[in-house]
């Protein structure tokens, strides 16, 4: 049984899902009555996808059937029974690296399975690379048997661009910078590049209708605060009373998009993007880490201290912000939840689910 505070948190998520599709179901219409497959479907993105699809099915009569592939659907269903017990969702457990067959009536597929915890980039680099590369190769091969496949959406990463020039405000899809491939931490970005290469091979050899999305940074309910990203670190530190510790001088620049905007955009691209398109997906609004930390502390009393660690080895300033003009033009992308609101919603969520 879900306790009252968690129920309240889920009600707020439902409102977010309803708001993000309000007046914007036209791009999602191709999903009506179709079968959608989602790999990695019980993570942050996958859970948000299911929340929005639940609104589409319940409020708009979409009748979309969904198959979710994950490592542990039982734990997911126990944690979020409001999604785990829905009749139109089918769960398949397994390791994406071993996938050999897909349900034959799939019309749309979102491949989001990946190991994104950067602690594993150094502790389990082989698993990270195999999941991104072999998992993508496996699912692309399985798609060859799907007679009704209309779209394959590959979730790549904004990290494939390598180092963004400091004087370049935003990265466009045609930019490709250097990666230090002899460093263990490069395993994620390099394997995502390789996954995109496999996708391009599938387009060339089999004419698969592939769309590539390159996500950047996100925040919102269902996101684990154990993940070692700046925004999750800062929120977790603040919830624990502080201080917030910034590795560096705080001038590193990122951009952060709310979960509902992320998931809606993935569905819109899956339903309506032209095959062979590549899009950045993230907020185009930059924020430096010191400003982000200060924004987070405003939600707390007393205000947690913000500490910078100037001179830390391996924490030089960097910039990673997408140019989203292509997805704005083709798929009417826009940020519906401003960053400060997104931060507050995320903090409120964690306060409720911790209660």
């Amino acid at each position: 049984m879900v306790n009252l505070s968690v129920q309240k948190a889920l009600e707020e998520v439902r409102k977010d899902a309803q708001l993000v599709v309000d007046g914007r179901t036209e791009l999602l219409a191709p999903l009506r009555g179709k079968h959608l497959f989602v790999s990695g479907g019980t993570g942050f993105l996958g859970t948000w996808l299911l929340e929005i699809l639940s609104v589409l099915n319940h409020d708009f009569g979409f009748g979309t059937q969904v198959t979710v592939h994950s490592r542990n659907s039982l734990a997911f269903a126990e944690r979020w029974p409001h999604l785990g017990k829905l009749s139109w969702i089918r769960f398949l457990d397994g390791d994406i690296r071993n996938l050999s067959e897909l349900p034959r009536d799939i019309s749309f597929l979102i491949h989001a399975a990946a190991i994104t915890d950067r602690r594993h980039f150094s502790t389990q680099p082989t698993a990270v690379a195999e999941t991104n590369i072999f998992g993508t190769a496996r699912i692309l091969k399985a798609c060859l048997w799907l007679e009704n496949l209309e779209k394959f959406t590959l979730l790549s990463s904004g990290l494939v661009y390598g180092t963004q020039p400091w004087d370049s405000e935003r990265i466009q899809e045609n930019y490709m910078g250097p990666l230090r491939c002899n460093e263990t931490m490069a395993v994620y970005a390099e394997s995502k590049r390789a996954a995109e290469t496999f996708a391009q091979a599938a387009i060339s050899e089999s004419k698969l209708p592939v769309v590539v999305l390159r996500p950047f940074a996100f925040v919102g309910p269902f996101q684990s605060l154990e993940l070692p990203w700046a925004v999750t670190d800062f929120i977790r530190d603040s919830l624990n009373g502080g201080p917030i510790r910034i590795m560096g001088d705080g001038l590193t620049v990122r951009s952060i998009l709310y979960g509902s905007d992320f998931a809606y955009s993935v569905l819109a691209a899956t339903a309506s993007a032209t095959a062979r398109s590549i899009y950045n997906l993230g907020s185009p609004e930059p924020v430096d880490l010191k400003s982000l930390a200060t924004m987070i502390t405003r939600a707390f009393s007393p205000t947690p201290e913000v500490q910078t660690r100037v001179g830390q080895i391996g924490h030089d300033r960097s910039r990673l912000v997408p140019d989203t003009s292509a997805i704005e033009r083709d798929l009417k992308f826009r940020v519906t939840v401003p960053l400060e609101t997104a931060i507050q919603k995320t903090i409120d969520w964690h306060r409720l689910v911790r209660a």
Side-chain angles (χ1 to χ4, degrees), residues 7-315:
Q7 187 61 45
K8 183 178 179 181
L10 294 174
E11 288 171 359
E12 292 303 313
V13 166
R14 181 78 175 190
K15 291 177 185 177
D16 288 338
Q18 290 171 327
L19 284 172
V20 80
V21 301
D22 185 29
R24 306 172 73 199
T25 59
E26 181 181 354
L27 286 174
L28 308 181
L31 299 176
R32 285 184 177 272
K34 299 296 179 66
H35 186 179
L36 169 67
F37 183 95
V38 183
S39 74
T42 55
F44 172 64
L45 170 61
T47 310
W48 270 107
L49 291 173
L50 294 179
E51 290 285 357
I52 292 177
L53 287 162
S54 180
V55 169
L56 294 174
N57 281 347
H58 184 271
D59 297 358
F60 297 92
F62 262 51
T64 304
Q65 299 292 311
V66 182
T67 296
V68 174
H69 186 276
S70 72
R71 289 179 179 269
N72 190 348
S73 62
L74 181 60
F76 176 84
E78 290 177 348
R79 184 72 175 99
W80 310 120
H82 71 294
L83 296 173
K85 296 181 180 180
L86 291 171
S87 61
W88 48 268
I89 301 177
R90 176 191 178 195
F91 291 94
L92 292 177
D93 282 3
D95 189 322
I96 196 68
R97 293 172 291 182
N98 300 323
L99 182 73
S100 60
E101 189 174 3
L102 293 166
R104 294 298 178 89
D105 62 339
I106 291 172
S107 296
F108 296 93
L109 190 150
I110 297 171
H111 178 41
I115 297 175
T116 58
D117 187 334
R118 68 182 182 186
R119 291 169 297 189
H120 295 320
F121 301 174
S122 57
T123 62
Q124 302 178 40
T126 301
V128 172
E130 288 180 346
T131 299
N132 290 340
I133 299 172
F134 299 155
T136 300
R138 283 276 194 172
I139 200 167
L140 285 167
K141 188 172 183 179
C143 283
L144 298 178
W145 300 97
L146 305 182
E147 297 179 356
N148 301 316
L149 185 65
E150 297 180 39
K151 197 73 56 61
F152 179 110
T153 300
L154 171 65
L155 272 292
S156 179
S157 171
L159 295 176
V160 300
Y161 292 112
T163 303
Q164 178 180 351
W166 185 255
D167 59 355
S168 176
E169 188 172 3
R170 296 177 179 87
I171 300 176
Q172 293 184 329
E173 285 85 354
N174 60 1
Y175 176 80
M176 198 58 65
L179 278 171
R180 298 187 181 96
C181 60
N182 61 335
E183 295 181 358
T184 302
M185 293 297 288
V187 67
Y188 185 79
E190 290 285 11
S191 60
K192 283 294 189 179
R193 278 189 178 185
E196 286 199 32
T197 302
F198 269 95
Q200 294 303 319
I203 292 171
S204 178
E205 294 177 357
S206 309
K207 306 300 185 272
L208 284 179
V210 177
V211 169
V212 175
L213 298 179
R214 292 172 178 161
F216 282 67
F218 306 93
V219 74
F222 306 117
Q223 186 178 48
S224 171
L225 294 185
E226 297 307 310
L227 291 173
W229 305 110
V231 67
T232 49
D233 281 349
F234 297 170
I235 292 174
R236 184 187 66 247
D237 289 346
S238 296
L239 285 168
N240 291 336
I244 291 178
R245 297 179 177 88
I246 301 175
M247 301 302 177
D249 60 11
L251 297 183
T252 282
V253 176
R254 294 293 184 264
S255 73
I256 303 171
L257 186 68
Y258 190 58
S260 62
D261 283 330
F262 181 24
Y264 172 85
S265 301
V266 172
L267 287 174
T270 302
S272 294
T274 302
R276 305 189 184 192
S277 299
I278 299 175
Y279 295 111
N280 287 334
L281 179 51
S283 170
E285 298 303 320
V287 60
D288 65 75
L289 296 189
K290 192 169 184 178
S291 297
L292 176 64
T294 301
M295 187 184 301
I296 290 170
T297 64
R298 286 200 287 266
F300 295 85
S301 181
T303 302
E305 179 188 3
V306 177
Q307 300 176 351
T308 57
R309 297 187 176 184
V310 181
Q312 283 274 320
I313 297 174
H315 288 282

